[in-house]
Amino acid sequence: YLKTVEEKLPDDLRLTIYYLDPTVLTRVPLSNEDLQSYPGVVKITVEAEELASHREQMKKLDPNILQPVQEESHINARLYYFFEVGDSEKILEVIISNIYGSVCVNDFEVENNPVFYDLILPFLEDEDRQILGK
């Protein structure tokens, strides 16, 4: 995926973002699947044309920043986004439990890093940023 970003973005690349206000209490922790259908979740879809103008931003996701966590935690998804090509081939998935927690990238839990937010900030409205505390 990262090599693709460095060269040229696929014409059918899409970014889909789901988030729930981190202050909303849920009865049980949410998986990324639960989050997508949870009442009040916000969904944002970004098509390839808009992604192309932010290619430099996307290059910041360097595999060297992915530091495994020392101790895994339980996921309680509040922000979930993925890049996909074609009908539904996900090439990068990111699940963020909360503002200070660790992050799951393609099913591997890694230390939180601002780059995970930086990737999507250009596609959020001011209201979205305020809700997410960014």
Side-chain angles (χ1 to χ4, degrees), residues 58-108:
M58 296 172 69
K59 286 182 184 181
K60 291 181 180 179
L61 187 58
D62 182 323
N64 296 322
I65 68 162
L66 302 178
Q67 300 297 319
V69 294
Q70 297 297 320
E71 191 172 316
E72 290 190 9
S73 61
H74 297 285
I75 296 300
N76 188 6
R78 289 297 187 252
L79 174 61
Y80 169 58
Y81 64 88
F82 55 88
F83 291 89
E84 65 183 337
V85 294
D87 290 336
S88 61
E89 181 188 347
K90 293 179 183 170
I91 56 176
L92 176 69
E93 285 185 284
V94 178
I95 305 168
I96 301 176
S97 291
N98 59 47
I99 293 171
Y100 305 106
S102 57
V103 176
C104 281
V105 176
N106 291 352
D107 294 326
F108 292 99

Side-chain angles (χ1 to χ4, degrees), residues 2-14:
L2 295 173
K3 289 181 182 177
T4 303
V5 171
E6 289 173 9
E7 296 164 7
K8 180 180 181 284
L9 296 176
D11 292 336
D12 59 348
L13 182 68
R14 282 180 313 284

Side-chain angles (χ1 to χ4, degrees), residues 24-88:
V24 171
L25 298 177
T26 58
R27 298 183 76 125
V28 295
L30 301 177
S31 68
N32 56 322
E33 291 89 5
D34 296 333
L35 179 65
Q36 293 175 61
S37 61
Y38 199 81
V41 72
V42 176
K43 179 182 179 185
I44 300 167
T45 304
V46 183
E47 299 296 333
E49 303 81 40
E50 191 175 352
L51 289 172
S53 64
H54 296 280
R55 192 178 72 184
E56 291 301 315
Q57 187 73 15
M58 296 172 69
K59 286 182 184 181
K60 291 181 180 179
L61 187 58
D62 182 323
N64 296 322
I65 68 162
L66 302 178
Q67 300 297 319
V69 294
Q70 297 297 320
E71 191 172 316
E72 290 190 9
S73 61
H74 297 285
I75 296 300
N76 188 6
R78 289 297 187 252
L79 174 61
Y80 169 58
Y81 64 88
F82 55 88
F83 291 89
E84 65 183 337
V85 294
D87 290 336
S88 61

